[in-house]
Amino acid sequence: MSSSRTQSSSSSSSSSVWQHQYMKLHFFSRIRSLFKSKASSRKRDFQSSTQISRTQQYSEKVVAPPEILSKPPEDENEEVVLQRTVKKLHFGTFEEKEKAAIEIDKLSREDKNIRKLMAELGVLQVLVSMVASDISGHQRSAVMALIQLSHGTHTNKALMVNAGICSKLPKNVEVLDQSTRYGFAELLLSLSSLTSLQLPVASSQILPFLMETMNSDTTEMKCKEICLATINNLCLVLENARPLVTNGAVKTLLSLILVKDLSEKALASLGQLVVTQMGKKAMEEGSTVPKSLIEILTWEDKPKCQEYTAYILMVLAHQSWSQREKMANAGIVPVLLEVTLLGSPLVQKRAVKLLQWFKDERNVRMGPHSGPQTSRESSSIGSPMSPRSGEEGKKMMKNLVKQSLYKNMEMITRRGNVDLEREACRLKSLIISTSSKSLTY
């Protein structure tokens, strides 16, 4: 009985060793076949270029030394380096894997075809596992290599996501140096542009990493810009609105809108979130709303920021008497009047629409076809105005238009009368002067 157990254990161990050897043999055979095909194509290109050069030399009657139709030594070195690098990445020590990742980063920058080749050799999965390492150099080299391998290929991005890159992001940003922090932000920006595969935003470390990076005082401005671009890509997917608001994206974005270098990207993301119910509610509860938004309306050198801000204010003021009252108390009316004169055509249109929603010194009441309506007595959000109040608002607007029209007509008539009087005086003086010259004494 014991002999049979010994035989079974020995057979299982021998089978595992055989499987491991078979995997290594299969791995190196794939590399050899890829290198052979690459070398043969290069040899054909080299022979054709040599033949063309010989023809040119013969036509010019120049004696040239015989060409050697062998593979250039630099090509051979490149293949040897690639083979050694992939081998170290799979089976090497920690130091060898770090050096291999650096070499893969270098090779991917020089040759675009190597990016697809690395995916076939199983390099992406190993690099993703290295991202979770606690060693800073080990982590940084893997991130930089993954950034290069993600450029220009959707397949590599999908393989990274499937390998679990989104769950291996660092939980503490402060322990990362600036280059590693920037590398993670750049990698997430590249992955967020993947439209064919939705990122696991709710169940991964993507949002906590982005929020902590943007809220950190030690993060450089350029790194924050990349994080904002990633947030903007995530906001384009409606399903990401809830996890974004839950992870404090609205609060973080509101804290960055007054920074002119970051304001445009932050406002663009807020414009995507404010149209959702959760996003609008989170913005209404913000302590800096609407004062910070009204301040941005005065930035004449940032027309795009003015347009985003006017749109956000329109959404917040729609069917919300409390928000319109806060805006009026914060002094939005004179700012809107200035924007209607000096702003871009789009922000002028939005400012005029907002002005229609305010009464003279309190709030302008609009009709049911022009925007939000709320009664003065009701402070609940979204409460509609009564038909009587709407009719009063219409009459008030008509009276204002008539008064403005009468004033303009009166001014035009006054100017016309002055011009006629001046012309009559000029003609009278001209007649007198000519008649006096014709008289004889």
Side-chain angles (χ1 to χ4, degrees):
M1 188 71 176
S2 60
S3 61
S4 62
R5 289 181 179 178
T6 305
Q7 290 177 358
S8 62
S9 61
S10 61
S11 62
S12 62
S13 61
S14 61
S15 63
S16 62
V17 171
W18 181 85
Q19 289 178 356
H20 181 68
Q21 295 295 332
Y22 175 76
M23 288 175 63
K24 292 179 67 176
L25 180 62
H26 182 64
F27 171 74
F28 287 114
S29 64
R30 288 178 62 187
I31 294 181
R32 182 177 296 178
S33 61
L34 289 168
F35 285 160
K36 282 183 177 180
S37 61
K38 187 176 180 181
S40 61
S41 62
R42 288 185 177 180
K43 187 173 180 180
R44 287 194 300 269
D45 296 339
F46 183 74
Q47 287 177 352
S48 60
S49 62
T50 303
Q51 187 176 1
I52 293 171
S53 63
R54 282 185 174 183
T55 305
Q56 292 176 352
Q57 290 173 359
Y58 179 75
S59 62
E60 295 174 0
K61 296 182 180 180
V62 177
V63 179
E67 299 289 343
I68 302 175
L69 301 178
S70 61
K71 184 170 54 178
E74 57 270 13
D75 291 343
E76 183 179 358
N77 293 335
E78 180 185 348
E79 293 175 0
V80 171
V81 168
L82 183 58
Q83 183 177 1
R84 183 175 64 250
T85 301
V86 176
K87 180 180 177 182
K88 287 182 179 180
L89 187 68
H90 279 280
F91 310 107
T93 60
F94 285 108
E95 292 77 10
E96 291 177 344
K97 287 186 176 183
E98 181 178 342
K99 293 180 180 179
I102 296 173
E103 191 65 32
I104 289 172
D105 181 13
K106 181 181 177 182
L107 293 173
S108 301
R109 292 174 186 267
E110 297 173 354
D111 191 355
K112 297 180 180 180
N113 296 325
I114 290 182
R115 299 171 189 170
K116 297 180 180 180
L117 178 62
M118 292 298 177
E120 297 177 1
L121 298 177
V123 171
L124 296 175
Q125 289 76 7
V126 181
L127 292 174
V128 169
S129 64
M130 291 172 61
V131 170
S133 175
D134 296 331
I135 305 173
S136 60
H138 203 209
Q139 193 178 51
R140 187 189 312 112
S141 59
V143 171
M144 297 304 174
L146 287 172
I147 291 173
Q148 292 302 320
L149 293 174
S150 66
H151 288 166
T153 166
H154 293 281
T155 303
N156 288 2
K157 294 178 185 179
L159 290 174
M160 293 178 195
V161 175
N162 293 333
I165 184 64
C166 299
S167 60
K168 291 180 171 58
L169 299 174
K171 297 181 180 180
N172 188 6
V173 175
E174 298 299 333
V175 300
L176 302 177
D177 55 51
Q178 292 297 329
S179 61
T180 306
R181 198 180 302 187
Y182 182 85
F184 274 110
E186 190 175 358
L187 179 60
L188 287 178
L189 176 60
S190 179
L191 295 177
S192 65
S193 63
L194 187 64
T195 56
S196 59
L197 182 64
Q198 186 175 351
L199 294 177
V201 176
S203 61
S204 64
Q205 292 293 324
I206 296 178
L207 294 180
F209 174 82
L210 292 173
M211 297 303 120
E212 188 177 355
T213 302
M214 290 189 292
N215 291 326
S216 176
D217 296 332
T218 60
T219 304
E220 295 178 351
M221 194 68 64
K222 192 174 182 181
C223 185
K224 289 185 178 183
E225 289 180 4
I226 295 178
C227 292
L228 285 173
T230 305
I231 292 293
N232 199 6
N233 289 341
L234 296 177
C235 289
L236 297 177
V237 182
L238 185 60
E239 289 77 8
N240 294 336
R242 180 177 292 275
L244 281 166
V245 175
T246 305
N247 284 272
V250 173
K251 183 179 179 180
T252 301
L253 294 172
L254 287 174
S255 66
L256 299 176
I257 59 176
L258 293 179
V259 183
K260 286 196 173 183
D261 293 336
L262 307 175
S263 181
E264 185 174 336
K265 290 185 175 63
L267 289 170
S269 299
L270 287 173
Q272 298 288 340
L273 293 175
V274 74
V275 296
T276 63
Q277 185 176 2
M278 292 185 63
K280 183 180 180 181
K281 184 178 179 181
M283 287 196 65
E284 289 174 346
E285 295 174 354
S287 59
T288 60
V289 176
K291 291 183 179 180
S292 57
L293 297 174
I294 296 173
E295 181 179 348
I296 295 173
L297 280 179
T298 62
W299 293 357
E300 297 179 4
D301 57 334
K302 295 284 186 179
K304 203 70 178 177
C305 294
Q306 289 181 320
E307 293 172 3
Y308 285 137
T309 304
Y311 174 76
I312 294 171
L313 289 171
M314 285 181 65
V315 177
L316 291 176
H318 186 261
Q319 292 189 349
S320 177
W321 175 83
S322 60
Q323 288 299 315
R324 283 184 283 155
E325 187 179 30
K326 288 173 64 176
M327 294 176 189
N329 294 333
I332 192 175
V333 174
V335 176
L336 290 174
L337 290 172
E338 183 180 353
V339 169
T340 55
L341 298 175
L342 304 176
S344 64
L346 181 57
V347 74
Q348 285 180 1
K349 183 178 179 181
R350 291 172 177 174
V352 169
K353 190 70 174 179
L354 279 168
L355 284 172
Q356 292 174 352
W357 294 351
F358 291 95
K359 285 177 65 174
D360 39 354
E361 71 271 359
R362 294 171 294 175
N363 287 330
V364 173
R365 296 176 179 178
M366 285 298 299
H369 299 289
S370 302
Q373 306 297 326
T374 55
S375 60
R376 185 70 182 176
E377 294 78 9
S378 176
S379 60
S380 61
I381 297 176
S383 57
M385 293 181 63
S386 62
R388 182 179 178 181
S389 300
E391 293 297 330
E392 291 178 358
K394 283 184 178 181
K395 290 179 180 179
M396 184 180 299
M397 289 299 298
K398 288 181 180 179
N399 292 331
L400 289 174
V401 172
K402 287 180 180 180
Q403 291 177 7
S404 177
L405 182 60
Y406 290 154
K407 284 185 178 181
N408 292 335
M409 292 296 294
E410 185 179 0
M411 187 180 299
I412 293 170
T413 305
R414 189 184 303 115
R415 288 178 180 176
N417 294 333
V418 171
D419 293 338
L420 288 174
E421 290 176 1
R422 289 179 180 176
E423 186 67 20
C425 292
R426 190 179 68 84
L427 291 173
K428 185 176 181 180
S429 61
L430 181 62
I431 292 170
I432 293 172
S433 62
T434 54
S435 60
S436 62
K437 289 180 181 179
S438 62
L439 290 174
T440 59
Y441 292 95

